Amino acid sequence: MKKLSTYVLGITLLGSLSLSIQCKGGEKKSNATAEKGATTAPVSIQKSAYGTTPEGEKVEHYLLKNNAGMEVGIITYGGRITSLSVPDNKGTSANVVLNFESLEGYLNENPYFGALIGRYGNRIAKAQFELDGNAYTLAGNDGENNLHGGLKGFDRVVWEVAASEAGEVATLKLRYLSKDMEEGYPGNLNVLVTYTLDNDNNLSVDYEATTDKNTVINLTQHAYFNLSGDFSKTILDHELQLAADAYLPVNAVLIPTGEIENVEGTPFDFRTAKLMGKDINAEDDQIQKGLGYDHCWVLNDQDQGLREVARVHHPASGRVLTVTTDEPGIQFYTGNFLDGTLPTTQGGNYGHRSGFCLETQHYPDSPNQKDFPSVTLRPGEKYNSKTVFSFLTQ
Ligand code: BGC
């Protein structure tokens, strides 16, 4: 059923162009083993100890495996994806998410590798906002702005996790109670994030939350991908297609100006597949402000709910990643701040643009931008959001 819905979404949302590329390229949703084993080999989950935080909290590692050769490692610290192995078009598996060797790497300063982000993904200008006439002050952890929830966001807390292997899906339920005024945000926020791996190489991330006071919320996932599986390489040879006719220009500190700009004739036009590297160094004021791509695209068909919005193809390996979401925006970030200081798991350091992120979300700074879709969550309401990362080969 999942497979069918992804297929239908692919047709309707990235349109006939994407479909014809898929057919021509002989794209496969899963490998031969998967098709054969679909009814026999079950998904599995292995749990192991991963370490202890400086506060003495135990951190566990869960390895989710399906029968199509996909494996996903997730730790309870920050709900971080620490590995994600998928086959290339010759059937050879490799890990395609930037990661560290051990817990220490994640505890050390790092740009949110693999993490769940909250309460507010992306930036809030001057680390402040007003809600119902009350002013709230957050930590300025990105110059004067608040980024990704503050000093100790959801990426730096230990989540309570329940694992289950039901039918043909492996599921991890991660819970966290963010207390009233934690990091300056109002309301006790009960958060549930569910990671689900199925046998069609779909990793779903379902976000739910409730609050006991009016608050703002914008949850996302911050995995850095490099579909080559070779972290000494940049991502500039990956092709990207985005179902977005517009993007949000930013000021010098990456806060949206409030304008919604058409991508036509700009380096931000990914309506048809284009190499990430093609226009990344263009002489363009917005590219210069982002030091490359570090912007939120305004996704099309926002009233259609869950739809395929992004497709990345790495020609050399044949790996394809599609992103399906019900969110209105996606931050496409090309690892412009990776500067060769953090160690890879392959014996080297993460260089400039060695990973890209596709962070599904509401628009940055929405609490201060009255014309952007609302990010307010009120008592009695339920925050719901879904993103699916799907892997194929072509
Ligand atoms: C932001 C970047 C930031 C990165 C790591 C991304 O979501 O858009 O500006 O450098 O996260 O913090």
Side-chain angles (χ1 to χ4, degrees):
M1 190 177 158
K2 272 242 161 85
K3 190 170 182 174
L4 179 67
S5 63
T6 311
Y7 179 70
V8 172
L9 287 164
I11 298 173
T12 52
L13 299 162
L14 276 183
S16 53
L17 175 73
S18 146
L19 186 68
S20 64
I21 293 171
Q22 292 177 15
C23 295
K24 263 193 242 149
E27 193 166 89
K28 291 191 282 178
K29 187 74 191 122
S30 52
N31 69 15
T33 327
E35 274 145 28
K36 249 192 288 153
T39 49
T40 49
V43 293
S44 69
I45 303 179
Q46 289 161 11
K47 180 181 173 185
S48 55
Y50 197 71
T52 308
T53 67
E55 294 79 31
E57 295 164 290
K58 294 251 177 297
V59 177
E60 318 283 354
H61 175 267
Y62 288 85
L63 187 64
L64 283 60
K65 289 188 190 180
N66 72 4
N67 67 20
M70 179 164 168
E71 294 187 11
V72 184
I74 292 167
I75 55 170
T76 55
Y77 179 72
R80 294 177 186 239
I81 298 176
T82 54
S83 62
L84 193 158
S85 294
V86 278
D88 66 8
N89 57 10
K90 298 191 180 65
T92 307
S93 279
N95 168 44
V96 297
V97 292
L98 276 49
N99 59 356
F100 296 119
E101 206 53 63
S102 64
L103 181 60
E104 202 190 341
Y106 297 97
L107 293 170
N108 289 342
E109 182 102 349
N110 73 83
Y112 306 89
F113 271 33
L116 291 177
I117 304 291
R119 296 189 185 188
Y120 199 91
N122 220 313
R123 293 175 170 83
I124 296 180
K126 303 204 164 92
Q128 58 192 32
F129 67 95
E130 231 182 77
L131 186 62
D132 306 324
N134 300 315
Y136 295 97
T137 304
L138 312 166
N141 61 331
D142 180 64
E144 58 179 4
N145 302 323
N146 183 260
L147 175 66
H148 295 332
L151 298 172
K152 188 172 177 179
F154 293 178
D155 57 298
R156 290 199 169 265
V157 301
V158 177
W159 295 68
E160 196 187 300
V161 175
S164 68
E165 304 150 20
E168 298 206 348
V169 295
T171 302
L172 282 193
K173 287 194 174 298
L174 291 82
R175 288 174 201 278
Y176 178 65
L177 169 63
S178 173
K179 298 258 173 71
D180 187 24
M181 295 313 288
E182 184 175 280
E183 288 292 325
Y185 293 93
N188 287 298
L189 189 75
N190 253 302
V191 188
L192 169 64
V193 179
T194 308
Y195 284 111
T196 308
L197 176 65
D198 70 15
N199 281 324
D200 287 327
N201 287 354
N202 299 305
L203 177 68
S204 306
V205 195
D206 286 274
Y207 305 87
E208 291 169 43
T210 52
T211 181
D212 62 0
K213 276 190 196 155
N214 289 356
T215 192
V216 296
I217 181 167
N218 192 25
L219 306 181
T220 191
Q221 220 297 332
H222 209 290
Y224 288 74
F225 298 97
N226 184 326
L227 299 184
S228 76
D230 178 350
F231 301 148
S232 68
K233 297 200 167 121
T234 72
I235 44 73
L236 302 178
D237 63 349
H238 290 51
E239 295 164 0
L240 170 67
Q241 187 175 6
L242 284 175
D245 295 340
Y247 79 103
L248 301 174
V250 291
N251 68 16
V253 289
L254 300 182
I255 296 294
T257 60
E259 295 147 285
I260 293 186
E261 191 165 307
N262 199 299
V263 295
E264 178 107 44
T266 75
F268 297 83
D269 191 350
F270 284 94
R271 290 172 300 172
T272 54
K274 180 172 86 176
L275 282 178
M276 290 184 183
K278 178 154 185 288
D279 297 327
I280 202 168
N281 295 318
E283 283 198 21
D284 175 276
D285 174 56
Q286 281 300 313
I287 286 283
Q288 277 152 18
K289 289 200 163 91
L291 304 175
Y293 295 110
D294 193 357
H295 296 76
C296 186
W297 269 251
V298 174
L299 295 168
N300 297 342
D301 302 318
Q302 297 189 357
D303 54 350
Q304 285 186 24
L306 204 60
R307 66 230 188 271
E308 187 176 309
V309 298
R311 183 176 193 277
V312 181
H313 173 219
H314 179 246
S317 65
R319 291 193 181 93
V320 173
L321 159 67
T322 66
V323 182
T324 299
T325 190
D326 52 13
E327 286 287 347
I330 198 164
Q331 183 86 5
F332 171 49
Y333 170 57
T334 41
N336 311 313
F337 294 111
L338 294 173
D339 60 1
T341 52
L342 295 169
T344 76
T345 39
Q346 301 173 346
N349 288 335
Y350 289 110
H352 192 220
R353 298 178 178 157
S354 54
F356 69 87
C357 303
L358 284 168
E359 304 155 49
T360 53
Q361 56 192 239
H362 272 54
Y363 306 161
D365 197 34
S366 296
N368 294 310
Q369 307 240 9
K370 299 300 165 230
D371 294 333
F372 286 176
S374 169
V375 289
T376 304
L377 181 70
R378 298 185 167 81
E381 295 175 348
K382 192 160 190 181
Y383 172 87
N384 261 308
S385 163
K386 184 181 186 80
T387 293
V388 186
F389 299 102
S390 306
F391 294 86
L392 349 159
T393 59
Q394 180 178 315

